[in-house]
Amino acid sequence: MTWNTPGLDELPVYEKLSKLARDPFDLTAPGAISPDRILSYKASAAGFDLLFSTQRVDDAVINALQQLADQSGAVDQFLAMKRGAVMNRIEGYESENRQALHTAGRDIFSEPPYNAEATQQAKRQLQDLKVFLDELDSGAVTNAQGEAFTDYVNIGIGGSDLGPRALYRALSAYARENRRVRFISNVDPDDAAAVLQDLDLARTLVGVVSKSGSTLETLTNEAMVRAAYSRAGLDPVKHFVAITGQGSPMDNPEKYLRAFHMYDYIGGRYSATSMVGAVMLGFGLGYDAFIEILRGANAVDRAAEERALRKNPALLLAVLGIWNHNFLGHETVAVLPYSQALLRFPAHLQQCDMESNGKSVTRTGARVSFSTGPIVWGEPGTNGQHAFYQLLHQGTTVVPAEFIGFRQSQHDMDLEIEGTTSQQKLAANLLAQALALAVGRKDENPNRFFAGNRPSSILLADKLEPYTMGALLALYEAKIVLQGFIWNINSFDQEGVQLGKVLANRFLEHMGIARRGEARDRDRYPESWTMLEAAGILQEDETV
Amino acid sequence: MTWNTPGLDELPVYEKLSKLARDPFDLTAPGAISPDRILSYKASAAGFDLLFSTQRVDDAVINALQQLADQSGAVDQFLAMKRGAVMNRIEGYESENRQALHTAGRDIFSEPPYNAEATQQAKRQLQDLKVFLDELDSGAVTNAQGEAFTDYVNIGIGGSDLGPRALYRALSAYARENRRVRFISNVDPDDAAAVLQDLDLARTLVGVVSKSGSTLETLTNEAMVRAAYSRAGLDPVKHFVAITGQGSPMDNPEKYLRAFHMYDYIGGRYSATSMVGAVMLGFGLGYDAFIEILRGANAVDRAAEERALRKNPALLLAVLGIWNHNFLGHETVAVLPYSQALLRFPAHLQQCDMESNGKSVTRTGARVSFSTGPIVWGEPGTNGQHAFYQLLHQGTTVVPAEFIGFRQSQHDMDLEIEGTTSQQKLAANLLAQALALAVGRKDENPNRFFAGNRPSSILLADKLEPYTMGALLALYEAKIVLQGFIWNINSFDQEGVQLGKVLANRFLEHMGIARRGEARDRDRYPESWTMLEAAGILQEDETV
């Protein structure tokens, strides 16, 4: 069975939406954002409310967007994905031909699961992890001196870094006592050096994460950290844990204390809830906290089956995004969490969204005739208000925004100043920004004029906890794949990263040739040789 | 004297550039990126090389861009700015009416300076700072127990946080022994709570940064930290340092150990090289390192006076940016540092660029008829390669990129693996990405086809050190103001942040009314009251 649907612009409702987009709802008209509108433009699931009265939509647009969801079969495809359909393929061309089963790893709470085999594999890994974490607690596993591990270093890049790092940063308020986690990702040697600088290696576990066991950056950083262990006279096999594919070069008990497995049906950018995030988060926050993350994610995975937009915030986010991007023509979307703990969540979304949907061909290999994935960027509020919000309010480019906020803080430390707590100030600012962007302001001074009609949504939950974080993660994952289904693109491959790898190897070969003093194949590769010379990188090598 | 120039589209060369943009240089043509082109499309100053052979420009475009610079009088305006012209104004309307003299603070190396008064003020502040830092070293200033301070917490937001934080992160490899710096910025109470959690208050200096002495977030966080000092039985006046405007509510020796001054002729986003960055960086890195930052910045400020594009990388970056944004129509620009130490530099640039140039009116208050400042975003490479580069290579939106790299690492810790060091791998990847984006690749498999013609520049220096960092900071500051001059907009105000503040106060007033059980003025403010109710924020208050 294939899941090629008509492209966005071949769906019957496309014409209607295009027509509606010529005269979108005017948020600046007096009374436009009425109490009725605010209260009814709201969707809820898994602890999150999505308020969208400040989007440039009215009932006609919402109905058309519902038709868009229906006609594209987005929800059916989501269900098929969960059941194990081979969603990761390009029909008629060589492609990865894989399932996309990141949802299976959190489908552990009900019987029968959507895909029994994948969920069974996930459960086995979770069981192994629980045993390992218990052994760390009981003292059955310690360092050579019999001491407990207090630190964990995660070595990985891309999906083996950004999602796990965002989750740990979001939840480190709940870190277990005497447990800290750090991250090394970049092939820049200063990344590992800075982390190693103030680490007690003897008390540190090192988790190396690579599905293939061959990611250059990760192996390089692993070697740097292993060298530090050797210098310190410590045995790496007592400290290094592998998170890798079964049978990969890293799946080797002679080199690693333990190995946990990841599977080819979960892409890196969707892997935070697999062992990729589990081992590190289990160490840092505890096993139960990780299960709560899965529970929150699973609640969204289930809500994402709902056909009605108002019961399915992920689907609603998806079609509102398409409205803003394809019909109103906005190239970017800003994700603006009013929570310092979500500092690195936008960086995770940049990968999850832009690597998934930054595509130019449909699932039959045809060139798309419409825009696919937007550029995703953002920083926490209120910080952003003192930075780039000037452009959001008065720039010549309209940036749709997705605000994320919480009613309560994580740490129980707040202070009332001028009659309100900091958490209240934070919430007031979030709501104020959404309203200000929407309604704008007239002013005689043209420099104080705000055009308004800058659309946004607000996602709200009670408190950023493991369950909420899991739900938020899954909400965006589901948004992204649902958009991919509607665009009829493959959101699960990443062929666009290959060319850079090929060329990087060519530059590295040149460096080796220059270093060894061999004849330079300059005629064959005039561009890369000259770029190296112009960059002044070869000169130093020649003096070696 | 006023500095209103014709708007971009009124300059004589505008037509020519528009025509040239219809058929921009094809980077994918065989041999297009010739050795000659690579070697000659290069500009250098202050230790940086700017390579731009992978931009979609040819000699005709470069000549036209030179005319653009000339006709707009950008360099003359830059000089006038340095001398103290009132660049921060909107003619005919109420506006800030201030000079823009951030360059004066680093114009301390030659006589006479461009603006004697401002440089004199900067020198006096530097002198005071040197005395203070010496007293910390000599033990003349200690905590109540006579111990030296080891930690510093910077409390500020926007320009009082992002630039200083980016600089400290970039240079923390050179931090003085037993000196650490942390940052609190967000009104989110979890920001302060997380920092306070593992801090030895007794050994900590707290720098509070606010020009007006009335920034809500900063005062709120200061109060939270002061409360922690009180709980710990420590006297804040022995620990708190003010960086503020002369005569502000914070310029108060009864509350602060010392006060350092900032002046209204330096906007927040240009203030990292004033006392805003100086006190924190002087503590963390030492006074001499800070002077080196100033020296690097000053070198760029001087190079920015050059009229020839190839001698003025800042001007070249400025006009290449305008070419990509206004003529080729790209909404965003990605800043991609191949240096983990520059992790937070893009966030600083988001403020510096988007708050400066996210404007819709000219310096005479006319609505602009062209696009102003782009959306700036980015993350370090190689991390980004495993994240959003898929979209850069194969997405439907073209993103011009500015790569930043260094020939050497900061920490002297590198390892040769497969014949190359990590630093070499980093450089190879940077060059490979610029080339891959430019030339693309044909392939029978449409999913492996790369369209190419995605423009980029490469900025290279030997090593990220204080001097280099100062130069890089000033390079972007100069790029930004030069673009503003060419667009004829005021890059120094931020009226766009006001509406959000007004509305946030309204929401806070509502919260107070609800809390005190008073009658709600719902008829007057139906939107904000209903938003609060829909958000579920008031309900909790009512139960208080």
Side-chain angles (χ1 to χ4, degrees):
Chain A
M1 185 167 196
T2 67
W3 283 102
N4 298 309
T5 50
L8 175 69
D9 53 2
E10 293 163 304
L11 296 171
V13 77
Y14 184 81
E15 266 308 300
K16 188 195 282 185
L17 281 164
S18 303
K19 239 178 249 168
L20 288 166
R22 278 177 224 149
D23 184 24
F25 186 74
D26 182 4
L27 296 163
T28 70
I33 306 182
S34 66
D36 271 1
R37 177 182 170 92
I38 295 168
L39 294 169
S40 66
Y41 277 26
K42 181 171 172 176
S44 303
F48 273 94
D49 296 320
L50 173 61
L51 278 60
F52 60 100
S53 69
T54 45
Q55 291 284 356
R56 298 196 70 185
V57 295
D58 54 17
D59 288 347
V61 173
I62 292 295
N63 290 338
L65 291 174
Q66 179 72 61
Q67 288 177 275
L68 177 67
D70 296 342
Q71 291 174 9
S72 66
V75 168
D76 289 328
Q77 296 185 65
F78 195 84
L79 270 166
M81 178 189 81
K82 286 170 62 167
R83 289 182 180 130
V86 179
M87 305 307 285
N88 177 3
R89 72 189 294 251
I90 304 286
E91 204 178 309
Y93 295 94
E94 200 187 325
S95 66
E96 294 192 319
N97 275 315
R98 291 176 186 164
Q99 299 160 295
L101 278 171
H102 52 282
T103 51
R106 48 235 197 183
D107 188 19
I108 59 172
F109 304 99
S110 54
E111 281 297 341
Y114 285 82
N115 185 291
E117 193 186 339
T119 297
Q120 196 49 42
Q121 283 180 312
K123 282 183 174 173
R124 273 197 297 269
Q125 293 301 314
L126 284 169
Q127 188 50 39
D128 287 355
L129 176 61
K130 187 164 187 339
V131 168
F132 179 60
L133 295 172
D134 286 346
E135 287 171 347
L136 291 175
D137 283 347
S138 70
V141 173
T142 64
N143 71 5
Q145 284 70 47
E147 298 165 320
F149 293 105
T150 56
D151 287 73
Y152 187 103
V153 173
N154 189 82
I155 304 181
I157 194 164
S160 301
D161 170 64
L162 294 165
R165 196 191 288 245
L167 292 188
Y168 181 73
R169 181 72 179 76
L171 299 172
S172 60
Y174 311 111
R176 288 189 53 183
E177 215 173 332
N178 285 320
R179 293 270 172 101
R180 280 170 303 279
V181 179
R182 297 193 200 165
F183 298 85
I184 299 175
S185 52
N186 202 325
V187 76
D188 177 356
D190 289 334
D191 192 13
V195 171
L196 286 170
Q197 189 165 258
D198 46 13
L199 207 60
D200 180 2
L201 294 183
R203 305 288 294 266
T204 299
L205 277 176
V206 182
V208 187
V209 191
S210 168
K211 199 193 295 181
S212 65
S214 66
T215 311
L216 180 69
E217 284 92 338
T218 300
L219 294 190
T220 301
N221 279 318
E222 181 183 7
M224 282 185 70
V225 178
R226 280 186 183 265
Y229 270 87
S230 298
R231 284 196 302 274
L234 295 164
D235 180 7
V237 80
K238 286 209 166 295
H239 295 263
F240 280 60
V241 172
I243 296 98
T244 190
Q246 210 157 6
S248 96
M250 276 171 53
D251 192 13
N252 179 354
E254 288 174 21
K255 287 183 67 188
Y256 298 94
L257 174 63
R258 283 301 149 88
F260 298 94
H261 292 139
M262 47 207 286
Y263 300 93
D264 72 357
Y265 50 70
I266 301 184
R269 56 193 176 271
Y270 298 100
S271 69
T273 53
S274 76
M275 284 300 116
V276 169
V279 184
M280 176 276 291
L281 292 165
F283 178 88
L285 312 177
Y287 182 80
D288 293 347
F290 183 72
I291 298 297
E292 281 308 296
I293 293 173
L294 298 186
R295 198 184 302 278
N298 180 246
V300 168
D301 294 341
R302 280 184 282 119
E305 291 171 22
E306 295 282 348
R307 280 157 210 288
L309 292 180
R310 281 211 178 57
K311 291 184 178 170
N312 186 341
L315 184 61
L316 186 51
L317 274 175
V319 295
L320 287 170
I322 288 176
W323 170 251
N324 284 323
H325 187 57
N326 292 94
F327 295 96
L328 301 186
H330 306 311
E331 279 191 9
T332 78
V333 56
V335 177
L336 306 170
Y338 275 61
S339 160
Q340 193 66 15
L342 289 177
L343 178 66
R344 297 304 293 164
F345 189 58
H348 162 66
L349 290 185
Q350 284 183 331
Q351 176 183 27
C352 199
D353 198 326
M354 295 167 75
E355 191 164 77
S356 294
N357 292 339
K359 304 287 166 68
S360 287
V361 298
T362 67
R363 286 181 284 186
T364 52
R367 189 140 195 96
V368 295
S369 44
F370 46 85
S371 269
T372 59
I375 291 154
V376 181
W377 60 283
E379 286 283 330
T382 58
N383 290 7
Q385 293 175 201
H386 294 257
F388 52 80
Y389 277 41
Q390 165 69 39
L391 184 147
L392 301 192
H393 285 286
Q394 289 190 318
T396 51
T397 305
V398 171
V399 178
E402 295 177 358
F403 294 98
I404 302 171
F406 303 93
R407 299 181 186 100
Q408 300 159 42
S409 63
Q410 292 185 317
H411 295 267
D412 193 20
M413 184 183 143
D414 203 343
L415 206 61
E416 198 176 304
I417 290 171
E418 294 177 19
T420 50
T421 64
S422 288
Q423 190 65 27
Q424 287 177 315
K425 291 184 182 80
L426 192 62
N429 273 280
L430 185 164
L431 297 177
Q433 291 296 332
L435 186 58
L437 288 166
V439 299
R441 188 177 70 186
K442 306 264 180 293
D443 201 295
E444 305 247 310
N445 184 332
N447 201 32
R448 295 178 183 164
F449 170 83
F450 294 76
N453 271 326
R454 300 181 176 219
S456 67
S457 295
I458 301 170
L459 268 172
L460 277 170
D462 281 344
K463 189 173 177 179
L464 184 57
E465 294 178 311
Y467 179 93
T468 337
M469 186 63 237
L472 184 63
L473 181 83
L475 204 47
Y476 273 93
E477 287 177 357
K479 172 198 173 185
I480 291 162
V481 303
L482 289 164
Q483 287 188 331
F485 295 150
I486 296 172
W487 284 320
N488 188 27
I489 59 176
N490 180 357
S491 301
F492 306 101
D493 67 358
Q494 55 280 322
E495 292 289 346
V497 308
Q498 296 305 325
L499 179 57
K501 283 190 195 173
V502 170
L503 292 182
N505 283 331
R506 183 185 300 167
F507 280 100
L508 287 169
E509 278 164 26
H510 293 353
M511 288 174 176
I513 287 171
R515 183 178 188 161
R516 295 187 300 270
E518 295 170 10
R520 302 184 179 190
D521 47 354
R522 214 185 282 265
D523 290 348
R524 190 159 173 214
Y525 300 117
E527 294 159 350
S528 38
W529 273 111
T530 314
M531 279 180 79
L532 273 171
E533 287 155 3
I537 288 170
L538 280 182
Q539 292 168 327
E540 290 169 69
D541 274 37
E542 290 173 309
T543 67
V544 171
Chain B
M1 182 165 198
T2 68
W3 282 102
N4 298 309
T5 50
L8 175 69
D9 53 1
E10 294 163 304
L11 297 171
V13 76
Y14 184 82
E15 266 308 301
K16 188 194 284 186
L17 281 164
S18 302
K19 240 178 250 168
L20 288 165
R22 277 175 227 151
D23 184 24
F25 186 74
D26 182 4
L27 296 163
T28 71
I33 305 182
S34 67
D36 271 2
R37 176 182 170 92
I38 294 168
L39 294 169
S40 66
Y41 278 25
K42 181 172 173 175
S44 302
F48 273 93
D49 297 321
L50 174 61
L51 278 60
F52 60 100
S53 69
T54 44
Q55 290 284 357
R56 298 196 70 184
V57 296
D58 55 16
D59 288 347
V61 173
I62 293 295
N63 291 339
L65 291 174
Q66 179 73 60
Q67 287 177 278
L68 177 67
D70 296 342
Q71 290 174 10
S72 66
V75 168
D76 290 328
Q77 295 183 67
F78 195 83
L79 269 166
M81 178 188 80
K82 285 169 63 165
R83 290 183 179 129
V86 179
M87 305 306 285
N88 178 3
R89 72 190 292 254
I90 304 285
E91 205 178 308
Y93 295 94
E94 199 186 327
S95 65
E96 294 192 321
N97 275 314
R98 292 177 185 165
Q99 299 161 294
L101 278 171
H102 52 283
T103 52
R106 47 235 197 182
D107 187 19
I108 58 172
F109 304 99
S110 55
E111 282 295 341
Y114 285 82
N115 185 290
E117 193 185 340
T119 297
Q120 198 48 46
Q121 283 180 311
K123 282 183 172 172
R124 273 197 297 269
Q125 293 301 313
L126 283 169
Q127 188 50 40
D128 287 354
L129 175 62
K130 190 167 185 338
V131 168
F132 179 59
L133 295 173
D134 286 345
E135 288 172 345
L136 291 176
D137 284 346
S138 70
V141 172
T142 63
N143 70 6
Q145 284 71 44
E147 298 165 320
F149 292 104
T150 56
D151 287 75
Y152 187 102
V153 172
N154 189 81
I155 303 179
I157 194 165
S160 300
D161 170 65
L162 293 165
R165 195 193 287 246
L167 292 186
Y168 181 73
R169 182 70 180 76
L171 300 171
S172 59
Y174 312 112
R176 290 188 52 183
E177 215 172 333
N178 285 320
R179 293 269 173 101
R180 279 170 304 278
V181 179
R182 298 196 199 160
F183 299 86
I184 299 173
S185 52
N186 202 325
V187 77
D188 177 354
D190 289 334
D191 192 14
V195 171
L196 286 170
Q197 190 165 256
D198 46 12
L199 208 60
D200 179 3
L201 294 182
R203 305 289 294 266
T204 300
L205 277 175
V206 181
V208 186
V209 192
S210 168
K211 199 194 294 181
S212 65
S214 66
T215 311
L216 179 68
E217 284 92 338
T218 300
L219 295 190
T220 301
N221 279 317
E222 182 184 7
M224 280 185 72
V225 178
R226 281 187 183 265
Y229 271 87
S230 298
R231 281 196 303 273
L234 295 163
D235 180 7
V237 81
K238 287 209 164 296
H239 295 264
F240 280 61
V241 172
I243 296 99
T244 189
Q246 211 157 7
S248 95
M250 276 172 51
D251 192 14
N252 179 354
E254 288 175 21
K255 286 183 67 187
Y256 298 93
L257 175 63
R258 283 301 148 89
F260 299 95
H261 291 140
M262 47 207 286
Y263 299 94
D264 73 358
Y265 50 71
I266 301 184
R269 57 193 175 270
Y270 298 100
S271 70
T273 54
S274 75
M275 284 300 116
V276 170
V279 184
M280 177 275 292
L281 292 165
F283 177 88
L285 312 177
Y287 182 80
D288 294 347
F290 183 72
I291 297 298
E292 282 308 296
I293 293 173
L294 297 186
R295 198 183 303 277
N298 181 247
V300 167
D301 294 342
R302 279 184 283 119
E305 291 171 20
E306 295 284 348
R307 279 159 211 287
L309 292 180
R310 280 214 181 48
K311 292 183 178 170
N312 187 340
L315 184 60
L316 186 50
L317 274 176
V319 295
L320 287 171
I322 288 176
W323 171 250
N324 284 324
H325 187 58
N326 293 94
F327 294 97
L328 301 186
H330 307 311
E331 279 191 8
T332 79
V333 57
V335 177
L336 305 170
Y338 275 61
S339 161
Q340 193 65 16
L342 289 177
L343 178 67
R344 296 305 291 164
F345 190 56
H348 162 66
L349 290 185
Q350 284 183 331
Q351 177 184 25
C352 198
D353 198 325
M354 295 167 74
E355 191 163 78
S356 293
N357 292 339
K359 304 286 165 70
S360 289
V361 298
T362 69
R363 287 181 284 185
T364 50
R367 188 138 196 99
V368 294
S369 44
F370 46 84
S371 268
T372 59
I375 291 153
V376 182
W377 62 283
E379 285 284 329
T382 58
N383 290 8
Q385 294 176 200
H386 294 258
F388 52 80
Y389 277 41
Q390 164 68 40
L391 185 147
L392 301 191
H393 286 286
Q394 289 191 319
T396 49
T397 305
V398 172
V399 179
E402 294 178 358
F403 293 98
I404 303 172
F406 303 94
R407 299 182 186 98
Q408 300 158 42
S409 63
Q410 292 184 317
H411 294 268
D412 194 19
M413 183 182 143
D414 204 342
L415 206 60
E416 200 176 301
I417 291 171
E418 294 177 16
T420 48
T421 63
S422 289
Q423 190 65 26
Q424 287 177 314
K425 291 184 183 79
L426 192 62
N429 273 282
L430 185 163
L431 298 177
Q433 291 297 331
L435 187 57
L437 288 166
V439 300
R441 188 177 71 184
K442 306 265 180 292
D443 201 296
E444 304 250 308
N445 184 331
N447 201 32
R448 295 178 184 164
F449 170 82
F450 294 75
N453 271 324
R454 298 176 180 224
S456 67
S457 295
I458 301 171
L459 267 172
L460 278 169
D462 281 345
K463 190 173 176 178
L464 184 56
E465 293 178 312
Y467 179 94
T468 337
M469 187 63 238
L472 184 63
L473 181 83
L475 203 48
Y476 273 93
E477 286 177 357
K479 172 199 173 184
I480 291 162
V481 303
L482 288 164
Q483 287 188 330
F485 295 151
I486 296 172
W487 284 321
N488 188 27
I489 58 175
N490 181 357
S491 302
F492 306 102
D493 67 357
Q494 55 281 322
E495 292 289 346
V497 307
Q498 296 305 326
L499 178 57
K501 283 190 196 173
V502 170
L503 291 184
N505 284 331
R506 183 184 301 168
F507 280 100
L508 288 169
E509 278 165 28
H510 293 353
M511 289 174 175
I513 287 171
R515 185 179 187 153
R516 295 188 299 272
E518 294 170 11
R520 302 184 179 189
D521 45 355
R522 213 185 282 264
D523 290 347
R524 189 157 174 215
Y525 300 119
E527 294 159 351
S528 39
W529 273 110
T530 314
M531 279 180 79
L532 273 172
E533 287 156 1
I537 288 169
L538 279 183
Q539 292 168 328
E540 290 169 68
D541 275 38
E542 290 174 307
T543 67
V544 169

